[in-house]
Amino acid sequence: MRMTVLASGSKGNSTVIASARTRILVDAGLSCRELLRRMALAGEDPATLDAILITHEHVDHIAGMPVLARKLGIPVFITEPTHRAWVRMVTPRTTMSYAQWLDHLQQEKLARAQAAAHIPTYELPSREAGAPCLASETWVEPAQTRVEATIDLSAQAQIPVDPDVEEDLSPTSNPKPDPTFLPSVEYFQAGRQFSIGDLAISPFTIPHDAADPCGFVFEADGVRMALATDLGYLPPNVKAALRRVDVLLLESNHDLEMLRDGPYPWSVKQRVLSRVGHLSNDATADFLLRDYDGGATYIVLGHLSESNNAPELARITAERALNDRMSLLGNRILLATQATPLESINV
């Protein structure tokens, strides 16, 4: 199996997972053009991709997905809640300002007043005072109140028409492309294993502020690779999923002191630090020290913040946690970056 991290960070994430017969792209958080460029740099052929697999709907994981999927004509594997959230994100919505809303109310008020002014009046047939009303008497609209309107359909041809509008309304005009169109969509559910080609994929729920975020374990020919980024902490189900893997891509997003003293607004800092935010260097190190089984050949630290972390800080914190378990044959620490693809990992 092979893992090639094309990009990892808050500006875009994408990773190629390949087996002997299957190649998938996990997330497409860069533009289509940039994804193709990164694949060329890494020696990956886009034409051999079998599918795109999505972790969650945040822009840094999904930005180039629709264009790339349409360009290559490949299916997108995604959970239904994530797909729905993405569709809502990209569907154009009509909004109005407060002034436009007031104008809209005024127009409705005028329309109601005009409609009320055109209500016809009705009179009863005249009869002598005190005369009984016969059952045969009915309401009759006087002749003078009747208005018969005729419409000259030929007059429509005399109405001036804006040439641009006429072109838009013509049968031959091309409608705007649907931004939500994908060649094929396949739904999966966290906790239920599925396969793409010869790759067995086990999705698991992760704690993050998205509709239905997932991490994955990939397995083929006895080799297991795991991907877990964008999670606020490591719950028991995630810790269990990350056992017995040969390659582990794990988040090490920020240094706590750098985040607290950094440029982010306090509200963003609170989000990052929350239990649906991102793993700090210390949180990742705590997992490696206490819960990691030590079986991976490579540990890739990913989603490093460019503003609130330093690559060497992330590396040193993880190495201290691993202590004497690092060797040339196991637990080698690699850093995935935002700017350039990581050299392919073959196991």
Side-chain angles (χ1 to χ4, degrees):
M1 285 183 68
R2 182 176 71 254
M3 174 187 286
T4 306
V5 182
L6 302 177
S8 185
S10 58
K11 295 179 181 177
N13 298 268
S14 190
T15 301
V16 176
I17 301 291
S19 64
R21 304 198 313 271
T22 306
R23 289 171 179 80
I24 64 172
L25 188 70
V26 183
D27 287 338
L30 303 171
S31 69
C32 177
R33 178 177 298 179
E34 182 63 15
L35 285 168
L36 296 176
R37 189 184 77 84
R38 296 282 180 105
M39 292 187 73
L41 287 174
E44 297 285 352
D45 183 3
T48 64
L49 286 178
D50 295 291
I52 299 173
L53 179 63
I54 298 299
T55 59
H56 62 291
E57 76 278 9
H58 288 171
V59 174
D60 58 324
H61 293 260
I62 209 166
M65 178 267 292
V67 177
L68 185 66
R70 291 194 287 262
K71 184 178 183 66
L72 300 179
I74 56 178
V76 174
F77 286 74
I78 191 170
T79 71
E80 184 173 3
T82 297
H83 184 229
R84 290 179 177 273
W86 171 73
V87 168
R88 289 194 300 270
M89 283 171 51
V90 300
T91 299
R93 290 178 290 180
T94 302
T95 60
M96 65 174 65
S97 66
Y98 180 67
Q100 290 172 325
W101 178 69
L102 289 177
D103 183 62
H104 176 70
L105 290 181
Q106 184 65 22
Q107 290 178 4
E108 285 187 339
K109 183 178 179 180
L110 288 174
R112 287 195 298 269
Q114 291 173 357
H118 288 84
I119 297 177
T121 58
Y122 297 88
E123 297 179 2
L124 285 171
S126 60
R127 61 176 184 272
E128 296 180 1
C133 179
L134 301 178
S136 61
E137 290 180 347
T138 59
W139 293 89
V140 178
E141 181 184 354
Q144 62 268 24
T145 65
R146 294 178 181 173
V147 178
E148 294 184 1
T150 60
I151 300 176
D152 183 5
L153 295 179
S154 64
Q156 292 182 0
Q158 303 172 7
I159 300 175
V161 178
D162 186 334
D164 294 332
V165 175
E166 185 178 24
E167 181 180 351
D168 289 340
L169 297 178
S170 65
T172 59
S173 64
N174 294 323
K176 292 183 178 179
D178 181 2
T180 67
F181 170 74
L182 298 171
S184 176
V185 176
E186 300 287 345
Y187 290 149
F188 65 85
Q189 294 181 354
R192 293 190 176 183
Q193 188 182 87
F194 65 100
S195 296
I196 302 176
D198 63 339
L199 268 178
I201 304 172
S202 300
F204 52 89
T205 297
I206 57 176
H208 193 50
D209 56 352
D212 189 21
C214 293
F216 301 102
V217 175
F218 307 93
E219 184 171 2
D221 300 322
V223 178
R224 288 164 55 86
M225 296 182 172
L227 185 152
T229 65
D230 295 74
L231 61 169
Y233 72 105
L234 287 151
N237 74 302
V238 176
K239 293 177 181 178
L242 301 185
R243 293 184 176 276
R244 298 180 295 103
V245 298
D246 299 285
V247 179
L248 171 59
L249 172 53
L250 182 63
E251 180 173 53
S252 189
N253 177 256
H254 58 274
D255 174 78
L256 290 171
E257 291 185 8
M258 288 183 67
L259 176 63
R260 290 179 179 130
D261 297 335
Y264 285 1
W266 176 238
S267 59
V268 178
K269 293 178 182 180
Q270 286 180 307
R271 172 193 171 264
V272 173
L273 291 167
S274 74
R275 287 170 71 83
V276 289
H278 294 274
L279 286 181
S280 68
N281 294 342
D282 291 342
T284 299
D286 186 69
F287 164 74
L288 294 176
L289 177 64
R290 300 175 184 276
D291 299 292
Y292 169 57
D293 62 5
T297 304
Y298 296 95
I299 299 174
V300 183
L301 302 180
H303 216 299
L304 275 66
S305 171
E306 293 182 307
S307 301
N308 304 300
N309 208 349
E312 285 310 306
L313 272 179
R315 181 196 298 274
I316 290 171
T317 307
E319 288 178 350
R320 286 176 178 171
L322 290 171
N323 200 1
D324 59 351
R325 288 185 289 177
M326 294 179 60
S327 70
L328 292 175
L329 299 178
N331 296 308
R332 295 179 59 186
I333 299 291
L334 302 175
L335 299 176
T337 65
Q338 184 71 85
T340 57
L342 184 65
E343 186 178 345
S344 296
I345 301 170
N346 293 277
V347 179

